Amino acid sequence: MSRISNTKGGNDEPGGIPSPNKVNKPPKQDLFTGFKSTVMETFFPDDPFRSFKNVPTSRKFVLGLRSVFPFLDWARGYNLTKFKGDFIAGLTIASLCIPQDIGYAKLANLPVQYGLYSSFVPPLVYAFMGSSRDIAIGPVAVVSLLLGTLLQKEIDPVKDKANYLSLAFTATFFAGITQATLGFFRLGFLIDFLSHAAIVGFMAGAAITIALQQLKGLFGIKVFTKKTDIVHVLKSVFHNAHHGWNWETILIGVSFLAFLLLAKFIGKKNKKLFWVPAIAPLISVIISTACVYGFRADKKGVQIVGHIPQGINPSSVQKIFFSGKHLFVGFRIGVIAGLIALTEAVSIARTFAAMKDYHIDGNKEMVALGTMNIIGSMSSCYVTTGSFSRSAVNYYAGCHTAVSNIVMSMVVMLTLEVITPLFKYTPNAILASIIINAVLGLIDIDAIKLIWKIDKFDFLACMGAFFGVVFVSVEIGLLIAVCISFAKILLQVTRPRIALLGNIPNTSVYRNVLQYPDAFRIPGLLIVRVDSGIYFSNANYIRERTLRWLTEEEEASKDNGQRIQYVIIEMSPVTDIDTSGIHGLEALHQSLNKKDIQLAVANPGPVVTEKLYLSKFVELIGEENVFLTVADAVRSCSPPSGP
């Protein structure tokens, strides 16, 4: 019989060697050591201080600097060949980001220069502190829409421009604080609570919402709804159909949208032509601006960008609300925008790191992103993050390091200093076309199909977020995404998978009878496997589910007269158990005792074994009823007439 051994020796083998068929009690650890181990594994699973061990004190300062500023690592091996790749990549993403930044600023209801400001300072900060070689930093569509939607609910961007701008900087400041705090305290795992399915649905819904919002610029509509849901937007579009549409604007917008979509198609068909969709937006801006200026289309109702102030970012420290009624509002909006920006940036960084086979430290990324947004809020920038479209262009353009962000930043600086007056006659329609073209890539049909095939609950989360954004608002869609993600976690925790096991013929293997119909049940035994930890949230369910199976078996056994004598719980998948879980097992033992049925457990892990001992549960059921394997338990517990 296989039993737990709480001694170093045993009688089953000569020389006091423990029997291989016994479940050994793990070495006893004091309470502090166990707690410390759990905390370290939760917050420091990658052991970030390993590089500081056994290192002279003088060297630790240098290692600390390299940890905070990763550029000190790659800068040592930097050469002209790498710079050529970074320079070309930086120029390429600059040609893409400049027209996008102007459009995204309008999406956030900010003057267009603030979009350019946000692609100057933050990329510089990230280049020195970020660990990703490929991510391109700047404003993005989803965060711009989210920020604009939340801000305009508090302050009217037209009637009170100054306070609206200040609230935007305040939200950006707290977005940075949120990101840096999560990274510093190594709480990055919290963003994983927003499931991939929910993010896919949210992004798709946001993409459609953003595209619909651009119909205002694409059709030249002057009076447009401030609501973002599809019903109000389409009503506003068709309400203006007779008098609000401008055919010159529509001609410009639709023509260049077709050109941009064609350029994107070419880039997808041939990866070597990545530069075609990258420079297409800038070419569109140049040509459309020249046409508007040459034909003076602005006098025929074509709306234009207008004057953009020259010069680099002015200080905005004095504009941030550090007190007053807008402080909490800025904090709330900043936390939401910061988390969404963080989720997008970290996922992008990990994607490209996997493609190039290098490591991304998520917590360092959060500190870098947070720092750049804090500094950005003080230099007239709004929330920035990693852009997937620009990062993809950066990757295919041959970037080697974050120097490509520095090159892009320098090009944006020159644009602010010299070129901004040339954007005066840029039509709003072309910006709308650029944004529509950019956000269409956020609708991942293949991912949605895969989610439907794999997990219907995930698909529900995806569609809940999608329809919430499209039919209600961005923040409601985000709230639905978060709620459904948490609901799934709660469902999985409170209703873990439990399986009835049977024996695979001619083996000692026991598997789920639903998965393996040929597996036969052992007469007189009920073998149950719990596929999760046993906690306060699921202990009662596990007990009740087991007793229901037992009742079903007892009813079925009336015909053959073979009653259940043992209930065996296979515990190898049980990673942990808490006091409520142990109480649940004790309650199950008591219920079985009343029926003259013995409870046995098989293959508990070291953590579970230790807790079963400390709680005296092993004494309650008897050491002889704790087995190494299910096969051992079956051999010991089967009635004499069994197989």
Side-chain angles (χ1 to χ4, degrees):
M1 181 182 295
S2 303
R3 299 189 298 268
I4 282 189
S5 170
N6 57 359
T7 63
K8 292 185 178 179
N11 298 324
D12 300 298
E13 300 256 334
I17 300 173
S19 168
N21 291 329
K22 289 186 176 181
V23 177
N24 291 322
K25 183 181 177 183
K28 188 174 181 180
Q29 290 185 339
D30 62 83
L31 185 63
F32 177 75
T33 302
F35 179 74
K36 179 182 176 183
S37 175
T38 302
V39 171
M40 290 296 292
E41 186 60 28
T42 300
F43 296 101
F44 305 98
D46 54 346
D47 190 11
F49 302 111
R50 64 187 181 279
S51 60
F52 294 89
K53 296 175 181 177
N54 303 319
V55 174
T57 305
S58 58
R59 180 68 177 161
K60 288 181 179 179
F61 177 72
V62 176
L63 291 175
L65 283 177
R66 286 167 57 183
S67 178
V68 177
F69 301 103
F71 87 96
L72 293 174
D73 275 329
W74 54 258
R76 292 178 297 170
Y78 201 69
N79 54 41
L80 184 61
T81 302
K82 290 182 178 180
F83 177 72
K84 288 179 180 177
D86 288 335
F87 184 74
I88 293 172
L91 290 178
T92 308
I93 57 177
S95 68
L96 176 63
C97 86
I98 291 171
Q100 280 187 349
D101 290 345
I102 296 173
Y104 292 159
K106 293 177 76 67
L107 199 59
N109 300 313
L110 294 168
V112 294
Q113 66 267 25
Y114 291 97
L116 295 172
Y117 292 160
S118 301
S119 279
F120 172 43
V121 173
L124 287 177
V125 177
Y126 181 85
F128 292 101
M129 297 188 67
S131 56
S132 173
R133 306 172 194 169
D134 303 280
I135 196 169
I137 297 297
V140 296
V142 173
V143 176
S144 298
L145 173 69
L146 180 65
L147 202 62
T149 302
L150 296 177
L151 291 175
Q152 74 175 359
K153 287 190 174 182
E154 305 297 332
I155 299 174
D156 192 304
V158 177
K159 297 178 180 178
D160 196 354
K161 292 181 180 179
N163 280 330
Y164 183 88
L165 201 56
S166 293
L167 189 59
F169 296 146
T170 305
T172 303
F173 176 79
F174 283 112
I177 291 292
T178 301
Q179 294 168 337
T181 301
L182 289 176
F184 182 79
F185 289 104
R186 305 186 69 79
L187 300 173
F189 62 86
L190 293 177
I191 65 173
D192 293 331
F193 280 95
L194 192 61
S195 69
H196 171 70
I199 293 173
V200 169
F202 174 76
M203 289 294 186
I208 290 178
T209 300
I210 292 167
L212 290 173
Q213 289 278 304
Q214 301 316 301
L215 295 179
K216 174 186 176 182
L218 199 68
F219 293 164
I221 300 172
K222 294 181 179 179
V223 180
F224 202 72
T225 180
K226 291 184 179 180
K227 295 185 178 180
T228 60
D229 64 281
I230 187 172
V231 175
H232 284 90
V233 170
L234 291 180
K235 277 185 178 180
S236 185
V237 169
F238 290 111
H239 178 74
N240 287 280
H242 296 295
H243 305 289
W245 293 10
N246 180 276
W247 73 266
E248 291 92 345
T249 301
I250 295 174
L251 179 63
I252 293 171
V254 173
S255 299
F256 282 101
L257 178 59
F259 168 70
L260 292 168
L261 292 173
L262 176 62
K264 179 181 283 189
F265 177 78
I266 293 171
K268 283 186 177 180
K269 282 293 182 181
N270 189 343
K271 296 298 182 183
K272 293 181 180 179
L273 298 177
F274 67 90
W275 52 271
V276 174
I279 66 170
L282 188 59
I283 291 174
S284 300
V285 168
I286 293 171
I287 296 174
S288 63
T289 302
C291 290
V292 170
Y293 180 76
F295 293 102
R296 296 317 307 261
D298 55 309
K299 294 184 176 180
K300 299 177 182 178
V302 174
Q303 299 176 41
I304 58 176
V305 171
H307 174 69
I308 302 177
Q310 282 182 271
I312 59 174
N313 307 34
S315 172
S316 57
V317 178
Q318 69 282 359
K319 295 182 180 179
I320 298 175
F321 292 122
F322 290 111
S323 61
K325 64 178 182 179
H326 294 305
L327 175 62
F328 178 75
V329 174
F331 172 78
R332 176 175 55 82
I333 296 173
V335 170
I336 297 171
L339 289 175
I340 293 298
L342 199 59
T343 303
E344 187 169 357
V346 172
S347 62
I348 291 170
R350 286 174 177 169
T351 298
F352 288 102
M355 292 170 71
K356 284 190 175 179
D357 194 24
Y358 66 90
H359 175 67
I360 285 292
D361 187 324
N363 291 296
K364 285 183 180 179
E365 282 294 289
M366 293 175 196
V367 172
L369 293 164
T371 303
M372 80 178 188
N373 275 313
I374 292 171
I375 295 174
S377 69
M378 300 178 182
S379 53
S380 298
C381 304
Y382 73 97
V383 182
T384 53
T385 187
S387 164
F388 187 83
S389 59
R390 295 183 212 175
S391 298
V393 169
N394 198 29
Y395 173 83
Y396 289 115
C399 73
H400 295 282
T401 68
V403 169
S404 59
N405 274 292
I406 298 176
V407 174
M408 178 192 72
S409 181
M410 293 299 101
V411 174
V412 172
M413 182 193 71
L414 290 174
T415 301
L416 285 165
E417 289 283 11
V418 180
I419 306 175
T420 49
L422 300 180
F423 289 110
K424 179 179 179 180
Y425 290 97
T426 300
N428 289 339
I430 198 63
L431 301 179
S433 300
I434 290 170
I435 293 175
I436 292 172
N437 176 64
V439 300
L440 289 178
L442 297 176
I443 305 174
D444 195 341
I445 300 297
D446 292 334
I448 295 173
K449 289 180 179 177
L450 185 62
I451 290 168
W452 166 257
K453 290 179 182 178
I454 294 175
D455 192 319
K456 299 302 185 287
F457 197 94
D458 267 352
F459 183 76
L460 178 63
C462 180
M463 290 296 100
F466 174 80
F467 288 118
V469 173
V470 172
F471 286 99
V472 187
S473 65
V474 177
E475 62 269 31
I476 293 298
L478 181 59
L479 180 62
I480 291 174
V482 172
C483 289
I484 294 180
S485 296
F486 271 99
K488 183 181 180 182
I489 294 171
L490 291 174
L491 185 63
Q492 290 175 334
V493 170
T494 59
R495 296 293 182 267
R497 295 191 183 279
I498 308 174
L500 282 177
L501 303 187
N503 178 242
I504 302 296
N506 302 317
T507 73
S508 61
V509 177
Y510 290 80
R511 291 292 183 265
N512 188 339
V513 294
L514 293 179
Q515 184 178 3
Y516 297 92
D518 292 338
F520 64 87
R521 307 275 290 280
I522 308 298
L525 305 181
L526 182 70
I527 309 171
V528 177
R529 187 184 67 214
V530 180
D531 293 333
S532 80
I534 304 177
Y535 303 113
F536 67 93
S537 57
N538 60 26
N540 283 332
Y541 171 75
I542 292 170
R543 171 181 168 273
E544 291 170 1
R545 175 71 268 189
T546 304
L547 291 175
R548 285 204 304 272
W549 271 327
L550 180 62
T551 301
E552 292 171 4
E553 287 296 309
E554 288 176 336
E555 291 177 355
S557 64
K558 289 179 180 178
D559 297 333
N560 55 32
Q562 182 69 63
R563 77 176 192 87
I564 299 296
Q565 298 179 31
Y566 281 86
V567 171
I568 302 169
I569 300 181
E570 153 72 303
M571 300 190 76
S572 58
V574 179
T575 55
D576 199 0
I577 188 170
D578 64 6
T579 52
S580 297
I582 292 172
H583 286 314
L585 291 181
E586 291 173 348
L588 176 62
H589 172 69
Q590 291 174 2
S591 299
L592 295 176
N593 249 353
K594 293 176 182 178
K595 297 175 179 287
D596 195 24
I597 298 173
Q598 177 62 49
L599 176 65
V601 297
N603 196 18
V607 173
V608 175
T609 301
E610 183 178 19
K611 292 183 178 181
L612 293 180
Y613 252 93
L614 291 173
S615 65
K616 301 187 183 303
F617 178 77
V618 172
E619 294 181 18
L620 180 67
I621 66 171
E623 289 190 13
E624 68 277 8
N625 292 309
V626 182
F627 301 90
L628 178 64
T629 66
V630 174
D632 287 342
V634 171
R635 280 194 294 269
S636 177
C637 301
S638 293
S641 60

